[in-house]
């Protein structure tokens, strides 16, 4: 079973909801803001409960909680608080839109979201995207990506990954197709690889990867992809392979990437920690410790500061 760090508050009822709304209002009322109360209040509940508290806040005080927080807070601390009050799939939608808006495209965020969400989540994302931006997600992606990477995005946005058990006769076929499409010929037939990585179930793909390694006499599919493809397409193919093998390890690597080198990619860091906190952040922490020989908390502590750091640490350490 996946291990979240943030769980629902089991003592939650209407009285608790009203009290939390009042605490948040008092934290922002008058001169100055009590950030410690905001942190303590928001991390005690899961997203569903926080959203109910925001509804109670609006009914009691005639104010939108997110707008009030935006007016009182700033920077990364504001961003993480707003993310915590946003339904998970709507957060995905906003992040996808941000990735393709303005100059340039944030392909790594597109890849992360589109490769790691389930069929049902992709369908919900598509519906919300169209409602939010009056444009289909597929059209938005096609308007901003092209070539083989664009085809990869188009395939993933269909949300049609198999959910059946492993088909062992097809495993051999698929491994042979990938081998023939890449290592066995000069140049790579990306469309063939695409059709397997974007459609087969993750369990099925695990067996395909093992069979591929047999056919290629010890070369992993990851190594073959690295030598046969480049840039965003390579990142996309590798992300699907990593998600199939070990999704929590994939997210641990994404977290490390957000924090390593000069400067921190706070947008990635916030999305990853908030979106996984109620799913499997406990497991991601274990993978992070194994990969980088230090706790995730230590990495966050050294990269972030102030109330922003305190909120992220609260999410990483959890409420149970």
């Amino acid at each position: 079973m996946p291990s979240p760090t943030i769980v629902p508050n089991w003592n939650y009822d209407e009285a608790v909801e009203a009290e939390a709304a009042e605490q948040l209002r008092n934290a922002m009322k008058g001169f100055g803001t009590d950030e410690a109360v905001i942190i303590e209040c928001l991390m005690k509940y899961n997203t569903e409960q926080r959203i109910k508290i925001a509804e109670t806040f609006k009914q009691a005080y005639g104010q939108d909680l997110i707008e009030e927080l935006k007016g009182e807070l700033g920077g990364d601390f504001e961003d993480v608080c707003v993310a915590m009050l946003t339904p998970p799939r709507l957060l995905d939608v906003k992040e996808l839109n941000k990735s393709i808006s303005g100059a340039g495209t944030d392909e790594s965020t597109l890849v992360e979201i589109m490769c790691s969400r389930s069929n049902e989540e992709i369908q919900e994302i598509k519906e919300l995207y169209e409602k939010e931006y009056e444009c289909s997600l597929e059209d938005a992606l096609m308007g901003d990506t092209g070539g083989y990477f664009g085809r990869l995005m188009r395939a993933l946005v269909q949300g049609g990954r198999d959910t059946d058990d492993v088909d062992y006769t097809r495993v051999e076929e698929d491994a042979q197709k990938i081998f023939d499409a890449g290592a066995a010929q000069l140049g790579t037939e990306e469309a063939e690889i695409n059709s397997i990585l974007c459609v087969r179930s993750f369990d099925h793909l695990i067996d395909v990867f093992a069979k591929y390694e047999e056919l290629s006499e010890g070369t992993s599919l990851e190594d073959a992809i690295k030598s046969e493809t480049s840039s965003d397409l390579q990142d996309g193919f590798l992300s699907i392979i990593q998600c199939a093998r070990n999704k929590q390890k994939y997210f641990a690597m994404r977290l490390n990437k957000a924090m390593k080198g000069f400067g921190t990619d706070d947008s990635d860091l916030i999305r990853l920690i908030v979106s996984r906190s109620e799913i499997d952040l406990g497991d991601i922490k274990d993978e992070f410790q194994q990969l980088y020989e230090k706790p995730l908390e230590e990495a966050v502590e050294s990269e972030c500061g102030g109330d922003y750091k305190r909120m992220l640490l609260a999410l990483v350490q959890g409420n149970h």
Side-chain angles (χ1 to χ4, degrees):
M1 284 291 289
S3 168
T5 56
I6 298 295
V7 297
N9 186 319
W10 305 116
N11 299 318
Y12 190 86
D13 59 20
E14 285 184 9
V16 167
E17 194 172 281
E19 187 187 349
E22 187 180 1
Q23 283 175 336
L24 286 165
R25 181 167 187 263
N26 290 340
M28 295 185 281
K29 199 170 65 172
F31 185 71
T33 306
D34 192 336
E35 287 86 355
V37 170
I38 292 171
I39 293 168
E40 189 191 348
C41 203
L42 291 183
M43 64 83 57
K44 266 199 279 191
Y45 308 98
N46 71 352
T47 306
E48 190 182 342
Q49 291 171 337
R50 289 180 210 127
I51 289 167
K52 285 181 182 171
I53 290 164
E55 287 165 4
T56 297
F57 188 95
K58 189 179 275 189
Q59 286 165 3
Y61 308 112
Q63 294 165 312
D64 184 285
L65 178 56
I66 288 180
E67 292 309 315
E68 290 301 301
L69 288 167
K70 283 180 177 178
E72 293 289 328
L73 312 176
D76 297 320
F77 181 50
E78 176 194 314
D79 291 344
V80 72
C81 290
V82 170
M84 289 170 73
L85 284 155
T86 306
R89 298 293 71 80
L90 184 57
L91 184 60
D92 285 342
V93 161
K94 289 181 180 295
E95 291 289 297
L96 285 167
N97 182 256
K98 189 165 74 177
S99 299
I100 52 180
S101 299
T105 305
D106 179 358
E107 287 88 358
S108 68
T109 298
L110 297 183
V111 163
E112 177 202 307
I113 294 173
M114 298 308 296
C115 291
S116 66
R117 304 307 189 246
S118 68
N119 291 347
E120 293 76 15
E121 287 168 342
I122 296 279
Q123 295 308 328
E124 193 183 339
I125 287 167
K126 282 158 68 175
E127 286 166 23
L128 282 170
Y129 195 96
E130 190 143 7
K131 195 172 160 189
E132 198 76 11
Y133 300 107
E134 296 178 349
C135 163
S136 78
L137 178 57
E138 185 172 336
D139 286 348
L141 289 170
M142 290 309 95
D144 220 69
T145 62
Y148 283 115
F149 181 70
R151 290 186 202 179
L152 175 67
M153 288 295 109
R154 176 170 267 159
L156 291 170
V157 84
Q158 305 314 312
R161 190 173 293 285
D162 290 343
T163 52
D164 307 332
D165 293 332
V166 180
D167 179 341
Y168 292 102
T169 55
R170 203 184 248 177
V171 163
E172 203 151 337
E173 254 175 61
D174 287 347
Q176 189 67 54
K177 271 186 192 171
I178 293 176
F179 183 72
D180 292 343
Q185 66 176 42
L186 191 64
T188 304
E189 184 45 69
E190 286 90 346
E192 201 68 72
I193 299 171
N194 215 47
S195 69
I196 294 164
L197 292 185
C198 295
V199 174
R200 303 291 188 251
S201 73
F202 282 166
D203 286 343
H204 180 93
L205 288 177
I206 293 290
D207 286 344
V208 171
F209 304 155
K211 194 71 194 168
Y212 178 92
E213 211 156 321
E214 278 178 38
L215 292 170
S216 63
E217 299 177 348
T219 302
S220 71
L221 183 55
E222 286 96 319
D223 286 342
I225 294 286
K226 284 173 189 171
S227 67
E228 291 284 334
T229 64
S230 61
S231 191
D232 305 320
L233 180 68
Q234 182 185 106
D235 188 27
F237 282 165
L238 290 176
S239 295
I240 296 171
I241 295 167
Q242 288 157 356
C243 281
R245 287 198 193 277
N246 183 336
K247 197 180 276 191
Q248 287 73 35
K249 186 176 179 181
Y250 167 72
F251 284 120
M253 289 159 69
R254 288 285 294 152
L255 280 164
N256 183 62
K257 192 177 177 189
M259 292 184 282
K260 79 174 184 184
F262 182 70
T264 303
D265 190 329
D266 296 291
S267 179
D268 282 359
L269 193 57
I270 291 167
R271 180 185 63 259
L272 288 158
I273 288 178
V274 172
S275 68
R276 303 316 294 185
S277 62
E278 292 174 42
I279 303 170
D280 55 3
L281 189 55
D283 305 303
I284 293 166
K285 281 165 65 174
D286 293 342
E287 293 291 345
F288 192 94
Q289 173 84 49
Q290 277 191 3
L291 282 168
Y292 306 109
E293 297 180 345
K294 65 179 174 185
L296 178 57
E297 289 94 328
E298 191 183 303
V300 169
E301 182 94 42
S302 67
E303 287 296 320
C304 309
D307 297 310
Y308 170 51
K309 176 183 77 177
R310 283 186 273 279
M311 183 60 102
L312 287 186
L313 286 175
L315 288 167
V316 171
Q317 287 157 354
N319 63 0
H320 60 97

